[in-house]
Amino acid sequence: MASKKVSSSIIKLSFFFLLPLLPLFSSLSVADNNETTTTPIPPETICESTPHPSYCKNILPKQPGHVQDYGRFSVEKSFIQSHKFLNLVNVHLQRRSTLSKTTIAALEDCKFLAEQNIDYLSTSKQTVTEATLSSWKADDVQTYLSAIITNQETCLDGLTNTASDSTIKNAIGVPLSDDTKLHSVSLALFTKGWVHEKKNKTIWDFTGKHLCFKNGQLPLKMSNRSRAIYDSARGRRKLREDDEESVLISDIVVVSKDGSGNFTTINDAVGAAPNNPAADAGYFLIYITEGVYEEYVNIATNKINLMIIGDGINRTIITGNHSVDDGFTTFNSPTFAVTAPGFVAVNITFRNTAGPAKHQAVAMRSGADNSTFYSCSFEGYQDTLYTHSLRQFYRECDIYGTIDFIFGNAAVVLQKCNIYPRLPLPGQFNPITAQGRTDPNQNTGTSIHNCTVRAADDLAPSIGTVKTYLGRPWKQYSRTIFMQSFLDSLIDPAGWSEWSGDFALSTLYYGEYENSGPGSNTTGRVTWAGYHVINATDAANFTVSNFLQGNGWLPQTGVPYVRGLIAFNKKGKVIDTGN
């Protein structure tokens, strides 16, 4: 990830320019908070509840208003500033003949991320016109506003650690920093004005029944033509088709290196997928037959509800070797990257072969909302799996790496996965996670639930000489939970490692709940203010149901999942998780 090798003017708009927004300032109900809806609040009062009170007071209108009024004003201002920032990046990119390759790469990342921010803010500012929101809608907007701050941080990391032109760093960095404060204020005001107070239930999964793969196969509901193509390509018996337990498929194409399918490359198949299909159209399925595919794949945002299925881990392999040492930004080093909402990947290995000496080298980067990975393998060394932003779920996956090999700032749950730390370079140690939350109002974090952490084959002989930790705080409000997982003896008794001195040790949130195995003993753990041995009530906040709102989008994927905490009998055996 960016900043591994080191420890880790806003243009003021006239208030009168924004006067058309000020039907804003009307008495509106406030969702589940203590703000009154009858008495206007001075801006200096409301700003004290944001991470940047002084900045907040400078940008808000001076007359008293209500929390939602201020929230709408701030979101609109964020939208306008995002356009201005994109224009600024484009101005510098027009000078690309005078810029270094690494500076251009960092600016291209910033451009892409700024365009994403505009899309997220466009949706958000429409939603906040409503006085009350369902918990689902509120979670959507909080997720988008959280991702905007993550995008800002990613842009800054790329400029700081990759761009070689100090003039560009200063010209972009100053407005980038100010805009990040603005977006933080918008998130804080939205959270205060619309986000429902968390009233999560401690759900125990006894007999939860979930739409899932049957005997290793997915029950697909598709046309006769698509069914014939799929059955023929897989060379297997027909899959049962049950309307109540089927994943809807709109169309299917086959990728095969020998030319027997529709395409010989994955990128060509992705290009054939429809842009922005109807929400109820079903998945466009790309079946990738066994083989090693040496290509870099980037699934754009408009390829909504794309599903890719391979022939299995280590049978269908997508591989590349881009790395930061070879001139790529961390963000742009992945072998496979996806930003398309509703993406599903099954039975595939994603690999980056750059090796430990090349430092940051990503196998998979997901910034796709409601993305799902089932029975996949992610193989690399430093920075293998980049869970960049938005909401993600991983089930029965294998993840291999060395330094910070699960990192990013999504709201992500890894469930029933195998995590394999590998042998790093001499003198290095293995922090498994490096979670990148930078704002206390971001609804992000890494939840590792019912997983197994064991040494990879190359590390096993060095247990005791190579230290392995559950994680370290990449950013100020880093948040990671290990719960109901098996931790083998490779985990250092301290459990967690510092990033640099006392950075983030009081603001991070690291939790452990009901783990097992020789590395799970918490008596020798760190004593940081932000570290906690948590109870079931706290752990429930980080389950699929509560943390991802997963019951609203996972069933349609066909992927099995456990909604809540796992129930054990008196002998420590799982009672029934519905699988």
Side-chain angles (χ1 to χ4, degrees):
M1 90 192 54
S3 73
K4 290 294 168 46
K5 298 175 187 173
V6 295
S7 61
S8 212
S9 72
I10 196 167
I11 301 171
K12 291 189 176 180
L13 301 175
S14 166
F15 168 65
F16 295 102
F17 179 76
L18 293 173
L19 275 176
L21 304 177
L22 292 177
L24 303 173
F25 287 85
S26 57
S27 294
L28 297 173
S29 63
V30 179
D32 288 347
N33 62 47
N34 296 322
E35 301 295 338
T36 176
T37 58
T38 57
T39 305
I41 308 161
E44 53 269 22
T45 301
I46 200 69
C47 284
E48 289 302 319
S49 64
T50 72
H52 306 285
S54 297
Y55 181 86
C56 175
K57 283 181 267 189
N58 286 336
I59 64 165
L60 290 186
K62 303 307 178 188
Q63 71 265 38
H66 301 293
V67 62
Q68 289 190 338
D69 305 334
Y70 291 124
R72 294 188 184 96
F73 181 92
S74 183
V75 167
E76 179 69 25
K77 192 173 178 72
S78 284
F79 180 71
I80 293 169
Q81 282 303 122
S82 292
H83 276 284
K84 288 181 179 290
F85 181 74
L86 176 59
N87 290 338
L88 177 64
V89 172
N90 282 330
V91 166
H92 288 289
L93 279 171
Q94 288 170 6
R95 300 174 39 230
R96 66 177 63 231
S97 62
T98 67
L99 303 175
S100 68
K101 178 182 175 181
T102 54
T103 299
I104 292 171
L107 287 173
E108 290 286 3
D109 286 353
C110 290
K111 177 181 178 179
F112 173 80
L113 295 162
E115 289 170 342
Q116 273 197 328
N117 285 353
I118 290 169
D119 288 342
Y120 298 154
L121 283 162
S122 178
T123 300
S124 298
K125 75 189 190 86
Q126 293 298 319
T127 305
V128 298
T129 58
E130 301 177 39
T132 57
L133 300 176
S134 67
S135 61
W136 301 98
K137 276 192 175 182
D139 192 66
D140 284 348
V141 175
Q142 190 179 17
T143 297
Y144 300 147
L145 296 179
S146 295
I148 289 165
I149 297 173
T150 301
N151 285 349
Q152 295 285 107
E153 192 72 18
T154 303
C155 171
L156 180 61
D157 282 342
L159 289 169
T160 302
N161 299 291
T162 308
S164 59
D165 190 325
S166 59
T167 303
I168 294 292
K169 290 181 184 181
N170 292 332
I172 297 292
V174 172
L176 180 65
S177 177
D178 283 344
D179 286 357
T180 301
K181 292 178 183 176
L182 172 61
H183 301 323
S184 176
V185 169
S186 294
L187 174 59
L189 295 176
F190 176 80
T191 302
K192 195 167 185 63
W194 281 270
V195 174
H196 297 267
E197 230 178 85
K198 293 292 184 184
K199 298 173 182 174
N200 294 333
K201 295 181 179 178
T202 306
I203 299 171
W204 296 94
D205 237 293
F206 292 99
T207 57
K209 186 172 183 291
H210 311 299
L211 177 62
C212 63
F213 284 58
K214 306 295 182 183
N215 301 316
Q217 296 179 320
L218 178 62
L220 303 173
K221 180 182 179 183
M222 57 178 75
S223 69
N224 290 336
R225 169 186 166 277
S226 293
R227 171 70 64 187
I229 293 171
Y230 188 70
D231 290 342
S232 173
R234 294 192 68 145
R236 299 174 182 174
R237 64 180 177 81
K238 277 194 173 185
L239 304 177
R240 76 190 198 94
E241 190 169 317
D242 182 331
D243 285 351
E244 292 185 359
E245 292 198 354
S246 294
V247 178
L248 181 62
I249 303 298
S250 62
D251 204 352
I252 181 172
V253 295
V254 177
V255 178
S256 183
K257 291 180 70 68
D258 64 8
S260 61
N262 304 96
F263 301 99
T264 57
T265 71
I266 300 165
N267 278 301
D268 285 345
V270 171
N275 296 332
N276 299 311
D280 59 353
Y283 290 100
F284 184 89
L285 172 59
I286 299 174
Y287 169 54
I288 308 172
T289 61
E290 184 171 357
V292 178
Y293 296 82
E294 297 181 10
E295 54 181 306
Y296 297 93
V297 182
N298 195 331
I299 311 294
T301 307
N302 60 359
K303 301 295 183 179
I304 298 169
N305 289 345
L306 188 69
M307 176 181 285
I308 62 172
I309 298 179
D311 272 326
I313 291 174
N314 291 329
R315 295 182 65 192
T316 297
I317 301 167
I318 306 172
T319 185
N321 63 3
H322 287 172
S323 69
V324 167
D325 273 22
D326 288 331
F328 295 88
T329 61
T330 303
F331 185 78
N332 234 344
S333 70
T335 301
F336 196 104
V338 56
T339 55
F343 176 78
V344 181
V346 182
N347 293 342
I348 295 173
T349 290
F350 301 94
R351 182 178 290 167
N352 190 312
T353 61
K358 292 291 188 176
H359 299 97
Q360 299 96 320
V362 177
M364 161 65 71
R365 186 194 81 227
S366 177
D369 200 20
N370 298 346
S371 53
T372 307
F373 300 85
Y374 177 61
S375 189
C376 291
S377 181
F378 306 93
E379 300 177 9
Y381 288 87
Q382 184 171 348
D383 291 2
T384 303
L385 177 58
Y386 195 173
T387 58
H388 181 263
S389 55
L390 303 168
R391 293 164 288 201
Q392 307 178 25
F393 179 66
Y394 296 75
R395 172 78 180 196
E396 294 173 41
C397 293
D398 298 336
I399 306 110
Y400 295 82
T402 55
I403 299 171
D404 306 335
F405 63 97
I406 301 171
F407 77 109
N409 195 26
V412 55
V413 175
L414 284 74
Q415 197 173 86
K416 211 173 181 182
C417 293
N418 297 307
I419 298 171
Y420 295 111
R422 305 173 92 165
L423 183 67
L425 294 174
Q428 292 182 333
F429 64 96
N430 285 334
I432 294 170
T433 64
Q435 205 282 327
R437 187 164 168 255
T438 60
D439 191 289
N441 291 302
Q442 286 179 305
N443 60 351
T444 55
T446 299
S447 174
I448 296 177
H449 185 204
N450 192 27
C451 294
T452 297
V453 181
R454 283 195 173 96
D457 290 344
D458 61 348
L459 177 62
S462 300
I463 292 176
T465 58
V466 174
K467 289 184 177 294
T468 298
Y469 299 94
L470 299 176
R472 61 175 179 162
W474 180 26
K475 302 293 182 181
Q476 187 78 44
Y477 294 93
S478 184
R479 182 161 65 177
T480 303
I481 311 298
F482 279 78
M483 55 190 192
Q484 298 187 314
S485 293
F486 177 86
L487 310 180
D488 212 347
S489 59
L490 75 164
I491 301 301
D492 188 88
W496 307 81
S497 174
E498 299 89 351
W499 182 273
S500 177
D502 63 357
F503 169 73
L505 302 187
S506 61
T507 52
L508 60 77
Y509 186 94
Y510 287 167
E512 295 184 56
Y513 170 72
E514 213 173 58
N515 295 311
S516 62
S520 66
N521 190 327
T522 59
T523 56
R525 290 297 196 248
V526 295
T527 56
W528 310 336
Y531 170 73
H532 310 276
V533 177
I534 59 179
N535 59 26
T537 301
D538 292 331
N541 293 322
F542 301 99
T543 58
V544 165
S545 180
N546 292 328
F547 197 47
L548 299 184
Q549 304 285 324
N551 296 332
W553 55 276
L554 275 172
Q556 71 185 40
T557 69
V559 172
Y561 70 98
V562 169
R563 299 165 300 166
L565 297 173
I566 297 171
F568 296 96
N569 64 20
K570 292 181 180 180
K571 295 182 179 180
K573 301 293 185 181
V574 176
I575 294 175
D576 187 352
T577 61
N579 299 317

